[in-house]
Short mmCIF file of all heavy atoms in Angstrom, two decimals:
data_model
loop_
_atom_site.label_atom_id
_atom_site.label_comp_id
_atom_site.label_asym_id
_atom_site.label_seq_id
_atom_site.Cartn_x
_atom_site.Cartn_y
_atom_site.Cartn_z
N SER A 110 -18.58 91.17 135.84
CA SER A 110 -19.41 91.22 134.57
C SER A 110 -19.70 89.80 134.09
O SER A 110 -18.89 88.87 134.17
CB SER A 110 -18.65 92.09 133.42
OG SER A 110 -17.50 91.35 133.14
N ALA A 111 -20.95 89.61 133.48
CA ALA A 111 -21.37 88.47 132.80
C ALA A 111 -20.87 88.41 131.56
O ALA A 111 -20.93 89.54 130.88
CB ALA A 111 -22.89 88.26 133.09
N SER A 112 -20.69 87.29 130.90
CA SER A 112 -20.12 87.27 129.55
C SER A 112 -20.80 86.07 128.81
O SER A 112 -21.05 85.05 129.27
CB SER A 112 -18.66 87.05 129.61
OG SER A 112 -18.15 87.14 128.38
N ASP A 113 -20.87 86.23 127.46
CA ASP A 113 -21.34 85.32 126.57
C ASP A 113 -20.28 84.26 126.22
O ASP A 113 -20.58 83.27 125.70
CB ASP A 113 -21.66 85.95 125.11
CG ASP A 113 -23.11 86.61 125.22
OD1 ASP A 113 -23.78 86.35 126.12
OD2 ASP A 113 -23.27 87.47 124.38
N ASP A 114 -19.11 84.47 126.78
CA ASP A 114 -17.95 83.50 126.56
C ASP A 114 -17.86 82.52 127.72
O ASP A 114 -16.90 81.81 127.95
CB ASP A 114 -16.66 84.14 126.24
CG ASP A 114 -16.09 85.00 127.60
OD1 ASP A 114 -16.72 84.89 128.53
OD2 ASP A 114 -14.94 85.49 127.47
N ASN A 115 -19.02 82.44 128.50
CA ASN A 115 -19.12 81.40 129.60
C ASN A 115 -18.43 81.80 130.89
O ASN A 115 -18.22 80.88 131.68
CB ASN A 115 -18.87 80.00 129.18
CG ASN A 115 -19.51 79.56 127.93
OD1 ASN A 115 -20.33 80.15 127.33
ND2 ASN A 115 -18.94 78.43 127.32
N ARG A 116 -17.93 83.08 131.03
CA ARG A 116 -17.09 83.44 132.04
C ARG A 116 -17.66 84.65 132.79
O ARG A 116 -18.47 85.45 132.26
CB ARG A 116 -15.71 83.75 131.49
CG ARG A 116 -14.98 82.58 130.93
CD ARG A 116 -13.71 82.95 130.28
NE ARG A 116 -13.01 81.82 129.80
CZ ARG A 116 -12.58 81.74 128.51
NH1 ARG A 116 -12.79 82.81 127.64
NH2 ARG A 116 -12.10 80.62 128.09
N VAL A 117 -17.18 84.73 133.99
CA VAL A 117 -17.42 85.91 134.88
C VAL A 117 -16.05 86.57 134.88
O VAL A 117 -15.08 86.02 135.19
CB VAL A 117 -17.85 85.48 136.34
CG1 VAL A 117 -17.93 86.80 137.15
CG2 VAL A 117 -19.13 84.78 136.29
N LYS A 118 -16.08 87.88 134.73
CA LYS A 118 -14.85 88.66 134.63
C LYS A 118 -14.99 89.78 135.85
O LYS A 118 -15.87 90.33 136.09
CB LYS A 118 -14.70 89.36 133.37
CG LYS A 118 -14.43 88.32 132.34
CD LYS A 118 -14.20 88.94 130.89
CE LYS A 118 -14.02 87.72 130.02
NZ LYS A 118 -13.90 88.18 128.59
N LEU A 119 -13.82 89.78 136.50
CA LEU A 119 -13.72 90.81 137.63
C LEU A 119 -12.78 91.90 137.24
O LEU A 119 -11.72 91.67 136.76
CB LEU A 119 -13.25 89.98 138.98
CG LEU A 119 -13.94 88.87 139.43
CD1 LEU A 119 -13.44 88.33 140.68
CD2 LEU A 119 -15.49 89.29 139.70
N TRP A 120 -13.15 93.20 137.54
CA TRP A 120 -12.51 94.24 136.95
C TRP A 120 -12.24 95.14 138.12
O TRP A 120 -13.09 95.27 139.16
CB TRP A 120 -13.35 95.01 136.06
CG TRP A 120 -13.91 94.37 134.96
CD1 TRP A 120 -14.99 93.39 134.94
CD2 TRP A 120 -13.24 94.15 133.59
NE1 TRP A 120 -15.11 92.87 133.62
CE2 TRP A 120 -14.14 93.33 132.90
CE3 TRP A 120 -12.14 94.64 133.04
CZ2 TRP A 120 -13.76 92.87 131.58
CZ3 TRP A 120 -11.84 94.32 131.71
CH2 TRP A 120 -12.63 93.41 130.89
N ASN A 121 -11.13 95.86 138.31
CA ASN A 121 -10.82 96.85 139.32
C ASN A 121 -11.56 98.28 138.96
O ASN A 121 -12.09 98.43 137.83
CB ASN A 121 -9.42 96.90 139.56
CG ASN A 121 -8.52 97.50 138.57
OD1 ASN A 121 -9.03 98.37 137.67
ND2 ASN A 121 -7.22 97.29 138.58
N ARG A 122 -11.46 99.15 139.88
CA ARG A 122 -12.08 100.47 139.53
C ARG A 122 -11.40 101.23 138.49
O ARG A 122 -12.07 102.08 137.88
CB ARG A 122 -11.91 101.25 140.80
CG ARG A 122 -12.87 100.80 142.01
CD ARG A 122 -12.62 101.80 143.10
NE ARG A 122 -13.10 103.11 142.83
CZ ARG A 122 -13.88 103.85 143.47
NH1 ARG A 122 -14.32 103.41 144.65
NH2 ARG A 122 -14.15 104.93 143.15
N ASN A 123 -10.18 100.79 138.05
CA ASN A 123 -9.55 101.37 136.89
C ASN A 123 -9.84 100.85 135.53
O ASN A 123 -9.34 101.18 134.59
CB ASN A 123 -8.03 101.50 137.07
CG ASN A 123 -7.65 102.27 138.43
OD1 ASN A 123 -8.19 103.31 138.66
ND2 ASN A 123 -6.66 101.74 139.12
N GLY A 124 -10.83 99.86 135.55
CA GLY A 124 -11.18 99.25 134.42
C GLY A 124 -10.21 98.14 133.87
O GLY A 124 -10.33 97.59 132.87
N GLN A 125 -9.33 97.76 134.75
CA GLN A 125 -8.35 96.68 134.40
C GLN A 125 -9.00 95.14 134.85
O GLN A 125 -9.49 95.09 135.97
CB GLN A 125 -7.07 96.82 134.99
CG GLN A 125 -6.39 98.16 134.66
CD GLN A 125 -5.19 98.40 135.40
OE1 GLN A 125 -5.00 98.18 136.57
NE2 GLN A 125 -4.15 99.14 134.74
N LEU A 126 -8.83 94.28 133.97
CA LEU A 126 -9.34 92.96 134.33
C LEU A 126 -8.41 92.31 135.28
O LEU A 126 -7.16 92.34 135.18
CB LEU A 126 -9.19 92.07 133.09
CG LEU A 126 -9.75 90.66 133.20
CD1 LEU A 126 -11.22 90.51 133.48
CD2 LEU A 126 -9.42 89.78 131.90
N SER A 127 -8.99 92.03 136.51
CA SER A 127 -8.13 91.36 137.47
C SER A 127 -8.21 89.94 137.62
O SER A 127 -7.25 89.25 138.19
CB SER A 127 -8.46 92.01 138.90
OG SER A 127 -9.79 91.88 139.25
N GLN A 128 -9.43 89.25 137.10
CA GLN A 128 -9.59 87.92 137.26
C GLN A 128 -10.73 87.37 136.31
O GLN A 128 -11.58 88.08 136.17
CB GLN A 128 -9.90 87.57 138.67
CG GLN A 128 -9.72 86.04 139.00
CD GLN A 128 -9.53 85.87 140.49
OE1 GLN A 128 -9.89 86.65 141.45
NE2 GLN A 128 -9.24 84.76 140.87
N THR A 129 -10.48 86.16 135.76
CA THR A 129 -11.56 85.56 135.04
C THR A 129 -11.99 84.23 135.67
O THR A 129 -11.11 83.46 136.11
CB THR A 129 -11.02 85.25 133.70
OG1 THR A 129 -10.63 86.42 133.03
CG2 THR A 129 -12.09 84.65 132.86
N LEU A 130 -13.34 84.03 136.00
CA LEU A 130 -13.77 82.96 136.64
C LEU A 130 -14.27 81.89 135.53
O LEU A 130 -15.27 82.37 134.94
CB LEU A 130 -14.90 83.31 137.64
CG LEU A 130 -14.53 84.44 138.54
CD1 LEU A 130 -15.64 84.67 139.51
CD2 LEU A 130 -13.20 84.02 139.31
N GLN A 131 -13.94 80.77 135.46
CA GLN A 131 -14.39 79.79 134.45
C GLN A 131 -14.91 78.72 135.09
O GLN A 131 -14.48 78.18 136.14
CB GLN A 131 -13.21 79.45 133.63
CG GLN A 131 -12.50 80.50 132.80
CD GLN A 131 -11.31 79.96 132.08
OE1 GLN A 131 -11.46 79.12 131.35
NE2 GLN A 131 -10.21 80.67 132.25
N GLY A 132 -16.16 78.11 134.50
CA GLY A 132 -16.67 76.95 135.00
C GLY A 132 -18.10 76.75 134.44
O GLY A 132 -18.68 75.66 134.55
N HIS A 133 -18.73 77.79 133.91
CA HIS A 133 -19.93 77.56 133.22
C HIS A 133 -19.73 76.91 131.86
O HIS A 133 -18.77 77.19 131.18
CB HIS A 133 -20.81 78.86 133.14
CG HIS A 133 -21.35 79.27 134.47
ND1 HIS A 133 -22.53 78.71 134.90
CD2 HIS A 133 -21.17 80.34 135.20
CE1 HIS A 133 -22.69 79.42 136.04
NE2 HIS A 133 -21.94 80.33 136.33
N SER A 134 -20.82 76.19 131.39
CA SER A 134 -20.66 75.67 129.98
C SER A 134 -21.57 76.35 129.01
O SER A 134 -21.62 75.87 127.93
CB SER A 134 -21.12 74.14 130.11
OG SER A 134 -22.54 73.98 130.47
N ASN A 135 -22.12 77.53 129.47
CA ASN A 135 -22.88 78.34 128.50
C ASN A 135 -22.86 79.81 128.96
O ASN A 135 -22.20 80.05 129.97
CB ASN A 135 -24.24 77.83 128.45
CG ASN A 135 -24.92 78.13 127.03
OD1 ASN A 135 -24.60 79.08 126.35
ND2 ASN A 135 -25.90 77.15 126.70
N SER A 136 -23.41 80.66 128.27
CA SER A 136 -23.33 82.20 128.56
C SER A 136 -23.67 82.41 129.91
O SER A 136 -24.65 81.78 130.56
CB SER A 136 -24.24 82.91 127.68
OG SER A 136 -23.85 82.75 126.34
N VAL A 137 -23.18 83.38 130.56
CA VAL A 137 -23.45 83.82 131.94
C VAL A 137 -24.31 85.04 131.75
O VAL A 137 -23.94 86.07 130.98
CB VAL A 137 -22.15 84.22 132.78
CG1 VAL A 137 -22.54 84.80 134.07
CG2 VAL A 137 -21.32 83.02 132.81
N ASN A 138 -25.49 85.03 132.36
CA ASN A 138 -26.41 86.17 132.20
C ASN A 138 -26.51 87.21 133.48
O ASN A 138 -27.01 88.24 133.17
CB ASN A 138 -27.78 85.51 132.09
CG ASN A 138 -27.93 84.55 130.92
OD1 ASN A 138 -27.49 84.92 129.88
ND2 ASN A 138 -28.53 83.41 131.19
N GLY A 139 -26.04 86.85 134.50
CA GLY A 139 -26.14 87.70 135.67
C GLY A 139 -25.10 87.32 136.78
O GLY A 139 -24.71 86.16 136.91
N VAL A 140 -24.65 88.44 137.50
CA VAL A 140 -23.71 88.18 138.58
C VAL A 140 -24.20 89.05 139.84
O VAL A 140 -24.95 90.12 139.59
CB VAL A 140 -22.32 88.45 138.22
CG1 VAL A 140 -21.75 87.48 137.09
CG2 VAL A 140 -22.21 89.96 137.71
N ALA A 141 -23.81 88.65 140.90
CA ALA A 141 -24.20 89.48 142.09
C ALA A 141 -23.09 89.04 143.19
O ALA A 141 -22.62 88.04 143.32
CB ALA A 141 -25.43 89.08 142.69
N PHE A 142 -22.63 90.21 143.89
CA PHE A 142 -21.89 90.02 145.18
C PHE A 142 -22.77 89.79 146.28
O PHE A 142 -23.79 90.49 146.42
CB PHE A 142 -21.00 91.24 145.36
CG PHE A 142 -19.68 91.22 144.60
CD1 PHE A 142 -19.65 91.84 143.27
CD2 PHE A 142 -18.62 90.76 145.14
CE1 PHE A 142 -18.49 91.95 142.63
CE2 PHE A 142 -17.25 90.68 144.46
CZ PHE A 142 -17.29 91.28 143.26
N SER A 143 -22.36 89.02 147.28
CA SER A 143 -23.02 88.93 148.43
C SER A 143 -22.95 90.19 149.23
O SER A 143 -21.81 90.86 149.21
CB SER A 143 -22.58 87.66 149.28
OG SER A 143 -21.20 87.88 149.57
N PRO A 144 -23.87 90.63 150.10
CA PRO A 144 -23.67 91.87 150.80
C PRO A 144 -22.29 91.85 151.77
O PRO A 144 -21.74 92.96 151.98
CB PRO A 144 -24.87 91.85 151.74
CG PRO A 144 -25.85 91.17 150.92
CD PRO A 144 -25.19 90.13 150.27
N ASP A 145 -21.89 90.69 152.25
CA ASP A 145 -20.75 90.75 153.07
C ASP A 145 -19.39 90.60 152.09
O ASP A 145 -18.37 90.75 152.71
CB ASP A 145 -20.67 89.46 153.94
CG ASP A 145 -20.65 88.10 153.20
OD1 ASP A 145 -20.31 88.12 152.05
OD2 ASP A 145 -20.78 87.14 154.02
N GLY A 146 -19.69 90.57 150.83
CA GLY A 146 -18.43 90.72 150.00
C GLY A 146 -17.65 89.49 149.77
O GLY A 146 -16.62 89.49 148.98
N GLU A 147 -18.04 88.37 150.47
CA GLU A 147 -17.25 87.18 150.35
C GLU A 147 -17.49 86.21 149.20
O GLU A 147 -16.66 85.38 148.92
CB GLU A 147 -17.30 86.39 151.75
CG GLU A 147 -16.98 87.16 153.00
CD GLU A 147 -15.36 87.50 152.92
OE1 GLU A 147 -14.68 86.65 152.47
OE2 GLU A 147 -15.08 88.64 153.24
N THR A 148 -18.73 86.42 148.68
CA THR A 148 -19.15 85.42 147.66
C THR A 148 -19.64 86.10 146.55
O THR A 148 -20.25 87.26 146.62
CB THR A 148 -20.30 84.53 148.26
OG1 THR A 148 -19.66 83.93 149.46
CG2 THR A 148 -20.54 83.48 147.28
#
Side-chain angles (χ1 to χ4, degrees):
S110 64
S112 179
D113 285 339
D114 68 2
N115 310 348
R116 297 179 176 124
V117 174
K118 296 180 180 171
L119 303 180
W120 308 84
N121 66 25
R122 288 181 65 134
N123 298 323
Q125 297 171 327
L126 181 65
S127 60
Q128 197 159 11
T129 300
L130 313 182
Q131 300 182 50
H133 283 289
S134 61
N135 211 326
S136 297
V137 179
N138 299 317
V140 293
F142 274 91
S143 61
D145 65 11
E147 297 298 317
T148 307

